[in-house]
Amino acid sequence: MRRSGFWQFAIAVPILFLVVSLGGCSSSSPIHTVTYPVPATITISPAPFLSLEIGTNQSFFPSVLSSTKTSITEPVNYQSSNTAVLTVANNGLACAGSWDSLSSPAICTPGPVGVAQVTANAQGVSSPATTVYVHQHIDKVVVSVLPIPNQPPPTNSCYSVGQTADYQAKAYSNGVDITSTVGVFGWQTSVTNVATLNISDPALLPGQVEVTAKVPGLTPLFATIGTVNSLPIYFTTCLVQAITLAVTNATSTSRTITPTVLDTQGNEIAGVPLTWSSSNPGSVSVSASGGASASSSGGGATIIASCTPPACNSGILPSLPVYPENVVTLFVPTTGNTQSASVTVYVSSMSCGTIDNCFSTVAPITAPANTVGNFLNLPATPNSMVFNGQGSTAYIGTDSGRFGTVGLALVNTSTNSVSQLVSVPGKVLAVSPDGSKVIISDTAPEDGPNHVFVLDAATNTSPTFQITGATAAAFSPDSLKAYIVAGSNLYLYSKLDGLRTIPLAAPANDVSFLSEGAFAYVAGGSPSAVSVWRTCDGGSADTVTVPVVPTFIQTLPGAAKLLSAPSDTPNTFHLLAVAPPDIDIVGVNTTPSGCTPPLSDEAVASFNLGQGNFVAKQLIISQNGSTAYVIASNISSVLVFNIAGQTPSTIPLSGNAMPLSAALTPDSTLLYVGANDGTVHVVNTQAGGDIQQISFPEGLCKNSAGLPFGGISCNPDLIAVKP
């Protein structure tokens, strides 16, 4: 078969050109000389090794550079050190054998097996040589692990970080081992962070590689020679089994946290790329090295370090995250009875509904001065408002059946502006702690089958899942996974794995992850019970019998002792569940390790709030885990539960107003409550009173002229505090 290519002429310089004068004054033919610069360096590719089957060909490409590292055009000449094995035509096309012509190569006649060195040169400057191995046809490459002298094989078929293993690749032609003739094998791993590869050790024989365990995970290992790949052989760096956290330095506003990581062999390993997470990054930030710092707004957070794929326990599907045995908390104590740091409270209204010519707004309130700022117009009536943990964006959902252009609204708090994603209608259920994902549920009948959108905050793209009736969702503390509650189905979403459906034995109402991350607790899912599900593999872990299936359930930050559970250990965690007329405390004993950590649940302690069968609308827990606030639609007070002391109380709202929605400042000193009297009530949680009512003369609902919309009671029924 004839082959063509770009010609690179091997002609000595200078080059002479004959020019014919047409002017009539002279018949002489002046000679012009073209001189090429002397190159500084020449290199060729492929390099430094090449493996060729006899009778095949391969193009070489030169790179000619001047002394200033600039590419220059230069004719080059190719040379083969063994022309019986390999010849190179003038255009750089090499034949594993002999060409019929160096100037017009067309037919490559196979030659013997052997080795040749190929170089390119111009004006006395030569390139480094490429070693070409010419061999018989390879029909199979086989990789096997080699025993290492004086080192026993791993007992669990894995290698701890830093341990090494040697592998041998062999090439076969019709069942004959031709490894010695094929040259240098290429080695690669599919999951590149799991292991490092070394073929330069002088102790290694041809076809061998030294593999060093680097990051916990699993990777296929391949050997390549020429165009032939081996079947994969799997290399495992022992997975992370357990993580413990120790505070090595602490101040009132900071923590230095040091992790200890054990693998499945029980070996302590260093340098593992852990994922550090804060439950409230707006209040407490944590660095990749474990340094935690509180912000000036006060409050606090629970901090964990987890082995979260794909950075850790890489290459395993489904993913296998591992969570710490303990957590670290950082809470800045409050001083006095009033909010000391300035924060912003955002208020909106659902009152417009589908009323023609009625438009909703968002009003910012600066606390503790409680001054109302410039209103922001919304493109549609909202149904939900949730901030990301960093406080940079408020996500405002809307039902597609309501008036206006439907879609998710995004409030940028730094620019005080509103944008919209018209293709993402629904209610905002959850935002991941790292702010990267937002779950929105569209249950509007006019939209056809129900959907759940998982918005990527970086790209504003949203994979869509056909999930019917999703009403609640929560993300794991490391933001890797989320559980979505939809009636008698529980859905497990993962950034890495496919969506998983878990049928439940009974409907569920709410879901919350334990603060250390290994378990999710679902209010319902089993008759008269709270069901417990593992984060790692989605398996059922336990069921906790309760007097009444809770309406809301929420984990308490950190691990703490309670009066109802004097036997609590440092690894006892708690959840709070609202189950009118009671509030329940669920104790959890666990020391997470591996994907299926041990778990035992204490007996549920129930406390009557003394308000009868109230209708719970919202559960808010202070960031230090000391107090719970319950908003009930049929009681004109905020229900308060002292968690440590386990005593209930109430804070009445002025004018017997009925609460609609509430939000707590980061330091927990002020609770902002939207009520049916059209005002926002400011509740001092330290002094225990409704100290101020904020009205909105400009109107949270406006007409097309931007004036307050009359004829309806425009109530502040959506409230969120910027973290």
Side-chain angles (χ1 to χ4, degrees):
M1 177 175 66
R2 186 175 185 87
R3 298 184 180 269
S4 61
F6 293 102
W7 289 85
Q8 292 141 333
F9 294 96
I11 302 176
V13 293
I15 298 176
L16 305 179
F17 291 91
L18 181 63
V19 179
V20 179
S21 174
L22 302 177
C25 295
S26 171
S27 60
S28 63
S29 300
I31 296 175
H32 298 278
T33 301
V34 178
T35 303
Y36 289 99
V38 176
T41 61
I42 301 175
T43 57
I44 57 174
S45 62
F49 307 108
L50 177 63
S51 178
L52 280 180
E53 181 181 329
I54 57 174
T56 61
N57 55 69
Q58 168 73 46
S59 289
F60 282 91
F61 299 96
S63 174
V64 184
L65 300 179
S66 68
S67 58
T68 60
K69 308 294 184 182
T70 303
S71 180
I72 58 177
T73 301
E74 189 86 17
V76 299
N77 178 48
Y78 290 97
Q79 292 183 340
S80 167
S81 65
N82 189 347
T83 55
V85 170
L86 185 85
T87 57
V88 186
N90 297 340
N91 63 355
L93 189 63
C95 162
S98 301
W99 280 123
D100 58 337
S101 169
L102 295 182
S103 58
S104 301
I107 300 173
C108 176
T109 301
V113 169
V115 181
Q117 306 284 332
V118 175
T119 56
N121 60 76
Q123 302 192 61
V125 178
S126 293
S127 69
T130 294
T131 302
V132 182
Y133 299 87
V134 176
H135 53 80
Q136 297 287 342
H137 171 70
I138 300 172
D139 51 37
K140 183 170 63 174
V141 174
V142 177
V143 172
S144 59
V145 64
L146 294 172
I148 299 178
N150 302 318
Q151 178 177 311
T155 57
N156 291 330
S157 300
C158 71
Y159 298 86
S160 292
V161 172
Q163 289 184 336
T164 62
D166 291 344
Y167 289 82
Q168 173 73 61
K170 291 187 177 182
Y172 292 89
S173 178
N174 294 321
V176 177
D177 184 350
I178 60 170
T179 303
S180 61
T181 67
V182 299
V184 180
F185 285 82
W187 292 88
Q188 62 179 345
T189 54
S190 296
V191 186
T192 56
N193 66 339
V194 169
T196 56
L197 307 179
N198 174 28
I199 62 172
S200 61
D201 189 332
L204 296 173
L205 299 176
Q208 293 182 356
V209 65
E210 180 186 69
V211 183
T212 303
K214 182 181 179 184
V215 170
L218 172 71
T219 181
L221 174 67
F222 299 88
T224 302
I225 194 72
T227 60
V228 182
N229 294 326
S230 70
L231 292 175
I233 189 169
Y234 289 89
F235 180 88
T236 303
T237 299
C238 297
L239 303 184
V240 168
Q241 180 71 11
I243 304 167
T244 56
L245 306 177
V247 176
T248 52
N249 185 47
T251 70
S252 60
T253 59
S254 68
R255 299 284 188 273
T256 300
I257 308 168
T258 301
T260 299
V261 183
L262 301 181
D263 66 15
T264 53
Q265 299 268 40
N267 295 321
E268 183 176 338
I269 51 178
V272 178
L274 299 177
T275 296
W276 291 88
S277 306
S278 167
S279 62
N280 292 293
S283 294
V284 176
S285 62
V286 59
S287 69
S289 59
S293 300
S295 71
S296 59
S297 63
T302 299
I303 302 155
I304 69 166
S306 57
C307 173
T308 298
C312 180
N313 282 2
S314 308
I316 299 173
L317 294 176
S319 56
L320 297 178
V322 172
Y323 297 94
E325 295 183 357
N326 61 313
V327 300
V328 173
T329 56
L330 173 56
F331 300 105
V332 178
T334 57
T335 56
N337 292 331
T338 58
Q339 169 83 16
S340 57
S342 177
V343 298
T344 306
V345 182
Y346 286 77
V347 181
S348 190
S349 175
M350 298 190 294
S351 300
C352 277
T354 57
I355 300 174
D356 191 17
N357 201 39
C358 182
F359 300 91
S360 297
T361 63
V362 174
I365 300 173
T366 301
N370 295 329
T371 55
V372 180
N374 295 326
F375 285 44
L376 299 174
N377 295 323
L378 293 178
T381 301
N383 60 22
S384 52
M385 179 165 55
V386 181
F387 267 98
N388 63 2
Q390 297 71 22
S392 60
T393 306
Y395 295 94
I396 301 178
T398 183
D399 293 338
S400 63
R402 296 189 172 181
F403 182 79
T405 304
V406 300
L408 184 72
L410 288 73
V411 176
N412 185 315
T413 59
S414 62
T415 62
N416 208 32
S417 60
V418 179
S419 58
Q420 188 184 26
L421 300 175
V422 296
S423 61
V424 187
K427 182 178 181 179
V428 180
L429 300 184
V431 181
S432 62
D434 66 2
S436 65
K437 301 290 182 182
V438 184
I439 296 177
I440 305 105
S441 173
D442 179 16
T443 58
E446 55 269 31
D447 289 344
N450 289 181
H451 293 92
V452 166
F453 305 94
V454 181
L455 178 72
D456 186 300
T459 63
N460 283 343
T461 57
S462 51
T464 304
F465 303 99
Q466 191 168 319
I467 296 176
T468 300
T471 55
F475 279 92
S476 58
D478 61 351
S479 302
L480 175 66
K481 297 185 178 183
Y483 276 107
I484 303 170
V485 172
S488 294
N489 283 318
L490 183 65
Y491 295 87
L492 177 54
Y493 164 81
S494 169
K495 291 181 179 180
L496 299 179
D497 312 318
L499 185 72
R500 179 180 169 188
T501 305
I502 303 173
L504 301 175
N509 298 319
D510 200 9
V511 57
S512 181
F513 280 85
L514 219 57
S515 58
E516 46 77 34
F519 300 97
Y521 280 68
V522 175
S526 183
S528 301
V530 170
S531 55
V532 190
W533 304 87
R534 290 190 297 269
T535 309
C536 181
D537 63 356
S540 175
D542 197 9
T543 56
V544 182
T545 301
V546 291
V548 178
V549 173
T551 305
F552 298 105
I553 191 167
Q554 196 172 140
T555 186
L556 297 185
K561 290 182 178 293
L562 300 180
L563 292 179
S564 63
S567 61
D568 282 355
T569 70
N571 286 341
T572 298
F573 300 86
H574 298 91
L575 296 103
L576 208 62
V578 176
D582 297 339
I583 194 164
D584 300 331
I585 297 177
V586 181
V588 181
N589 289 306
T590 179
T591 305
S593 62
C595 191
T596 56
L599 174 72
S600 64
D601 293 298
E602 297 178 351
V604 175
S606 298
F607 304 90
N608 193 298
L609 294 183
Q611 302 298 317
N613 280 321
F614 58 88
V615 180
K617 292 191 63 177
Q618 194 175 1
L619 170 63
I620 301 170
I621 297 178
S622 61
Q623 289 187 13
N624 65 0
S626 66
T627 311
Y629 303 92
V630 178
I631 303 301
S633 62
N634 60 336
I635 298 176
S636 60
S637 299
V638 175
L639 309 186
V640 183
F641 182 68
N642 182 311
I643 298 172
Q646 300 169 1
T647 55
S649 61
T650 60
I651 302 177
L653 296 183
S654 298
N656 292 321
M658 289 294 182
L660 303 172
S661 177
L664 190 66
T665 56
D667 68 358
S668 305
T669 58
L670 297 176
L671 182 71
Y672 286 77
V673 184
N676 66 349
D677 61 358
T679 69
V680 170
H681 295 244
V682 183
V683 173
N684 186 316
T685 61
Q686 307 297 300
D690 184 350
I691 61 174
Q692 184 180 351
Q693 298 78 47
I694 303 172
S695 60
F696 303 92
E698 296 184 34
L700 292 172
C701 303
K702 295 187 177 183
N703 60 26
S704 57
L707 301 175
F709 189 89
I712 62 170
S713 297
C714 192
N715 294 318
D717 38 23
L718 289 176
I719 298 182
V721 173
K722 175 186 174 182

